[in-house]
Amino acid sequence: MLKITQTAHYVPSKVVTNDDLSKMMDTNDEWIRTRTGIRQRHVVTDEDTTDLVVNVANELIQKGGISGADIDFIIVATASASEAVPTAAAEVQKAIGASKAFVFDLNAACSGFIYGMSVLRGLFTNPTYKKGILIGAEVLSKYTDWSDRTTAVLFGDGAGGVLVEKDAAAGNMFLGEDLLSMGDLGDKITMAGTTNESPFNDGATADNPGKWVTMDGRAVYAFATRNVPKSIERALAQADLTLDQIDLFVLHQANYRIVESIAKRLGQPIEKFPMNIANYGNTSAASVPILLDELNAAGKIKRGDTIALSGFGGGLTLGTEIIKF
Amino acid sequence: MANNEETFKKIQEIIADQLDKEPEEVKMESNFKNDFDADSLDIFEIINEIEDEFDVKIEAEEGIDTVKDLVEFVEKQA
């Protein structure tokens, strides 16, 4: 069966604090902290998404004591790849010499890592594949309007990932799953719209929402706090588990108030919902694997723990994977 | 649909629960910001609960400053 054998994360070294932002726009540390839980975020200077992903992939194979040539597939969950082609996954394949692998990017915005876990699980049903890498990575700073205080305070850059291997001694890793998307609410979060400069273009991108990230805060807050608890409950029902049997809920780090609201709606103690949003802001597809790696490195998750991973955001998308660590 | 008094009682409970107050502290004339130190996210949360409880859609959170504003909004849609 399957096992997450290694976790890793990487963030760019440049830190931007709330006080730094208050010098760029009309905002302040107290406002940002009380409404989001964010104290600082990491942003790239001379790096891009590929660099973050390569750092994570290198750490995963080093920790695992394997080489790139041992990897069967690489999935990068990102909405902000350095370029559309070659994919971030292709860049990583080259960097780590994963010569026998097949690789691709997956975009489900903030839910990308969770959707990636589902895809990874499916791929592993092929008996040929023994080792796979899934990395969530974002550089949202390049899609942030740094003059817009309603969005600029929220996001950060980073990457995190897992090495998953077939292990005859391991039990079931995937216990339950729930994935759901709501495309009719797609305009509630938008980012990275492109312009069609073709001479034949006759308005194909006229109503494109544009490059900068936009978000309808109230709609997204309501979407997350209403739907994530239901998603967790559906995944638990599939796993035939109860809320009390979950050791930790590792949720997408969008806003600590959303996490608190979800904990309250589920009737679970907030201590079971670890958070690191204070240090990173919302890193979209990277938030769950960054948190997972920090918990693993700190010994806060142990082998055999039952963990609920949930992502939610752009699309709109949401999803939960109940896993045995 | 419930009369004004019943609507108020339910809304009072929702607000008290969300803001960690005693129900009797929540009065018709209470102002969310001035009396309860509530911010926009608290009001989002209260509106969500009220939308679910009363099966109404509250679009304009901008105009909601007091408990009375909420009760009247729900009554109007009922």
Side-chain angles (χ1 to χ4, degrees):
Chain A
M1 303 303 264
L2 300 170
K3 188 175 169 185
I4 294 177
T5 53
Q6 304 297 335
T7 62
H9 82 277
Y10 176 83
V11 290
S13 56
K14 167 87 175 163
V15 168
V16 177
T17 65
N18 293 346
D19 285 336
D20 294 334
L21 289 180
S22 70
K23 292 171 193 133
M24 298 167 64
M25 62 195 80
D26 183 17
T27 190
N28 64 72
D29 177 56
E30 195 263 343
W31 193 96
I32 300 170
R33 263 192 301 105
T34 55
R35 282 164 183 78
T36 70
I38 300 165
R39 291 172 183 271
Q40 61 172 50
R41 69 285 294 143
H42 293 250
V43 300
V44 298
T45 51
D46 59 348
E47 295 171 302
D48 201 347
T49 314
T50 294
D51 303 290
L52 311 190
V53 182
V54 168
N55 274 293
V56 172
N58 272 323
E59 195 181 326
L60 287 171
I61 58 175
Q62 274 163 22
K63 282 179 171 173
I66 60 173
S67 81
D70 298 323
I71 303 294
D72 296 297
F73 63 85
I74 300 167
I75 308 169
V76 177
T78 183
S80 56
S82 301
E83 60 278 320
V85 180
T87 60
E91 299 272 23
V92 177
Q93 173 176 34
K94 181 169 72 176
I96 67 170
S99 50
K100 75 167 182 189
F102 66 95
V103 309
F104 60 97
D105 288 3
L106 174 159
N107 180 359
C110 307
S111 306
F113 186 80
I114 307 301
Y115 284 38
M117 288 288 264
S118 179
V119 172
L120 173 147
R121 172 195 197 179
L123 292 172
F124 271 124
T125 59
N126 184 322
T128 319
Y129 310 139
K130 306 281 195 290
K131 297 181 199 306
I133 282 177
L134 170 64
I135 295 172
E138 303 284 8
V139 172
L140 297 177
S141 59
K142 66 188 172 190
Y143 292 121
T144 300
D145 176 354
W146 290 98
S147 66
D148 175 9
R149 65 174 179 167
T150 66
T151 53
V153 304
L154 301 175
F155 301 103
D157 301 337
V162 292
L163 171 64
V164 178
E165 299 182 64
K166 274 198 182 128
D167 177 348
N172 268 342
M173 172 180 158
F174 289 97
L175 307 181
E177 168 180 295
D178 177 74
L179 305 178
L180 182 65
S181 306
M182 300 180 186
D184 54 330
L185 298 176
D187 64 349
K188 303 303 180 192
I189 302 175
T190 67
M191 191 183 88
T194 53
T195 306
N196 184 344
E197 291 169 5
S198 153
F200 306 106
N201 176 31
D202 189 17
T205 54
D207 52 5
N208 184 300
K211 178 180 178 181
W212 306 129
V213 60
T214 70
M215 185 162 74
D216 177 340
R218 189 198 151 198
V220 174
Y221 185 91
F223 158 76
T225 54
R226 280 191 177 129
N227 290 291
V228 176
K230 290 179 194 160
S231 173
I232 291 172
E233 281 169 350
R234 287 192 296 263
L236 281 171
Q238 192 183 81
D240 202 17
L241 292 170
T242 64
L243 285 161
D244 291 337
Q245 289 174 290
I246 299 297
D247 295 299
L248 284 178
F249 297 85
V250 178
L251 304 193
H252 169 47
Q253 303 285 294
N255 184 319
Y256 89 105
R257 301 271 292 268
I258 290 178
V259 176
E260 283 188 346
S261 176
I262 291 168
K264 187 173 172 188
R265 282 182 180 231
L266 289 172
Q268 287 287 298
I270 193 68
E271 293 72 30
K272 286 170 75 172
F273 294 75
M275 289 189 242
N276 64 2
I277 190 169
N279 297 327
Y280 302 110
N282 176 348
T283 58
S284 183
S287 77
V288 167
I290 291 174
L291 181 54
L292 198 61
D293 180 48
E294 287 196 333
L295 293 166
N296 188 24
K300 289 180 182 162
I301 42 178
K302 300 176 296 296
R303 286 292 161 196
D305 278 357
T306 306
I307 302 169
L309 308 173
S310 283
F312 50 88
L316 299 178
T317 55
L318 76 149
T320 301
E321 290 286 350
I322 312 284
I323 61 163
K324 184 72 85 177
F325 189 74
Chain B
M1 186 60 208
N3 63 30
N4 205 296
E5 181 61 22
E6 267 179 60
T7 306
F8 172 67
K9 271 220 131 62
K10 268 190 190 158
I11 289 179
Q12 189 183 38
E13 275 171 35
I14 289 169
I15 294 169
D17 179 56
Q18 178 57 32
L19 300 178
D20 287 323
K21 306 280 174 205
E22 293 302 322
E24 50 272 22
E25 290 178 75
V26 179
K27 301 190 177 66
M28 201 67 153
E29 63 277 12
S30 302
N31 181 294
F32 288 108
K33 196 159 177 252
N34 300 337
D35 296 324
F36 299 143
D37 203 25
D39 65 20
S40 56
L41 273 71
D42 292 315
I43 296 174
F44 286 0
E45 190 73 36
I46 290 164
I47 288 175
N48 286 350
E49 296 282 340
I50 288 172
E51 285 184 338
D52 292 348
E53 174 73 34
F54 293 95
D55 198 22
V56 295
K57 194 102 193 78
I58 303 176
E59 298 286 358
E61 73 269 15
E62 300 298 324
I64 292 172
D65 298 318
T66 64
V67 175
K68 189 159 172 269
D69 292 336
L70 266 180
V71 172
E72 283 181 352
F73 203 100
V74 172
E75 290 286 320
K76 248 193 286 174
Q77 295 207 11

